[in-house]
Amino acid sequence: MKKILCLFFSVILLNSIFADEQLLPPETYIEHSKNEKYFITVDFPEKKITCFENNDMEKSLWQIDGWYYSVFLSNDAKYCVTSDYQDLIPLEFNKKSILFSVYKNGKIYDIVTVQKVINNSNNLQRTVSHYKWGTISSVSTEGILLNTVEGKKIYNFETKKISSVKIDNDFYITEDNLSILTDEKCNEYLNRVFDYIFTYDDERCIDIILNWEEYGVQISTEIKDGKEVVFLDFFHGADKNWLSSHIGISVCDGGIAFWRIYYDLKNHRFFGLDINGEA
């Protein structure tokens, strides 16, 4: 009897895990760019997407015909990304099924299909009635960050190409005053800071993202201004041996080769991004 009950509840649990969420009924909504300098209204009755600057609805920058469940706007309001599938695609998909569309200044710029994003369709994750391909994580002035079933990828606006990104930087724990750092936790913070830097409103962050895999990181925990924080100190070209033998080093100039940031453990947010200047 116990075995039957365990099997019964296991089936229920698995069904709940892999069940597809119902899409919300279509409605009018507003989306802001990450820097909140621009916003778009997605009007369901009118089937129109309209872009405005600084909450000024007197003059629109551009319009797109149609209504979509998911819409993203770049920090310069130049690019708009639309999708109806969100993170799921139908079981009867083909390689030319559209995952999302890219608009530039209100005009269609590119149509991105399954075959352009997913290298091997066998990697797609089956749910009850769909396949999960991933999500559009965020949009910057230079491209789109995708969290796919094959890992993190970047769609480049200029080249219209997609490249994979590995978040497996060499790191060294220099000091752990809070006794919380493990390899798993360090990798988690590296993934989070990557996502944060990707959409940060600073042109230098674009070059940081493009060179991401070449950074080594010293990681520590401390109390800063009464807050429990994780401190991540990035060095371009540094491997684990260099990181372990240069603890406490301070580098002047060097530009994006050297930068650092704090993570507030209580409020779960990054702050204090500091990128070196150029000599």
Side-chain angles (χ1 to χ4, degrees):
M1 181 66 178
K2 287 183 178 179
K3 289 184 177 179
I4 295 175
L5 285 174
C6 287
L7 179 60
F8 175 73
F9 286 115
S10 295
V11 170
I12 292 177
L13 178 60
L14 286 172
N15 282 335
S16 66
I17 291 173
F18 293 101
D20 300 342
E21 292 185 9
Q22 284 289 104
L23 291 175
L24 295 174
E27 61 180 0
T28 296
Y29 63 94
I30 293 175
E31 290 288 351
H32 292 264
S33 60
K34 286 287 185 179
N35 59 9
E36 298 190 349
K37 292 181 179 179
Y38 305 93
F39 73 99
I40 47 179
T41 59
V42 186
D43 193 309
F44 176 65
E46 297 294 328
K47 303 295 191 296
K48 289 278 187 183
I49 299 173
T50 309
C51 181
F52 300 93
E53 182 178 3
N54 294 329
N55 293 325
D56 179 8
M57 299 188 71
E58 296 297 320
K59 184 179 179 181
S60 64
L61 299 178
W62 45 257
Q63 279 191 331
I64 296 172
D65 290 330
W67 186 94
Y68 301 89
Y69 275 103
S70 298
V71 179
F72 301 83
L73 184 64
S74 63
N75 280 339
D76 56 5
K78 185 183 293 185
Y79 295 99
C80 180
V81 182
T82 66
S83 174
D84 265 339
Y85 284 141
Q86 297 181 327
D87 60 339
L88 302 173
I89 54 176
L91 295 179
E92 61 274 15
F93 83 96
N94 60 62
K95 291 183 178 181
K96 294 185 178 180
S97 295
I98 299 172
L99 289 184
F100 57 88
S101 299
V102 181
Y103 291 81
K104 183 177 181 180
N105 296 320
K107 306 294 183 182
I108 189 66
Y109 180 69
D110 195 15
I111 295 175
V112 181
T113 60
V114 172
Q115 66 180 354
K116 193 168 184 177
V117 176
I118 303 299
N119 296 324
N120 186 345
S121 59
N122 291 328
N123 292 327
L124 295 170
Q125 297 174 0
R126 174 69 187 266
T127 65
V128 172
S129 58
H130 290 79
Y131 283 110
K132 182 178 179 64
W133 70 269
T135 59
I136 298 173
S137 178
S138 55
V139 176
S140 74
T141 56
E142 297 299 311
I144 307 167
L145 176 60
L146 306 170
N147 282 323
T148 79
V149 291
E150 295 177 334
K152 289 184 184 292
K153 300 187 180 185
I154 293 178
Y155 171 92
N156 187 300
F157 284 137
E158 183 178 355
T159 64
K160 298 183 181 180
K161 293 182 179 180
I162 293 176
S163 58
S164 296
V165 179
K166 292 182 180 179
I167 314 297
D168 59 356
N169 308 73
D170 277 351
F171 63 84
Y172 185 79
I173 300 172
T174 59
E175 194 170 13
D176 187 11
N177 294 315
L178 304 178
S179 301
I180 62 168
L181 294 180
T182 62
D183 285 357
E184 183 180 358
K185 276 294 181 182
C186 288
N187 283 314
E188 176 187 329
Y189 297 135
L190 287 172
N191 273 273
R192 288 186 181 184
V193 73
F194 177 90
D195 293 354
Y196 178 79
I197 292 295
F198 186 85
T199 54
Y200 195 85
D201 192 21
D202 187 322
E203 291 299 314
R204 295 173 297 174
C205 290
I206 297 168
D207 291 325
I208 289 176
I209 289 296
L210 294 176
N211 293 278
W212 186 266
E213 296 176 17
E214 299 173 23
Y215 286 99
V217 195
Q218 290 179 344
I219 304 178
S220 61
T221 58
E222 59 183 84
I223 305 295
K224 180 177 176 61
D225 300 328
K227 301 176 182 176
E228 294 185 345
V229 301
V230 178
F231 179 58
L232 300 100
D233 202 358
F234 288 78
F235 301 87
H236 187 269
D239 60 16
K240 185 158 289 189
N241 288 333
W242 189 95
L243 294 168
S244 63
S245 60
H246 291 78
I247 297 174
I249 188 173
S250 180
V251 181
C252 297
D253 303 320
I256 65 163
F258 307 100
W259 59 280
R260 56 217 58 85
I261 194 168
Y262 293 93
Y263 181 73
D264 184 337
L265 289 165
K266 181 179 180 180
N267 296 308
H268 305 291
R269 67 178 186 88
F270 288 99
F271 69 98
L273 174 62
D274 180 30
I275 304 172
N276 279 18
E278 300 282 355

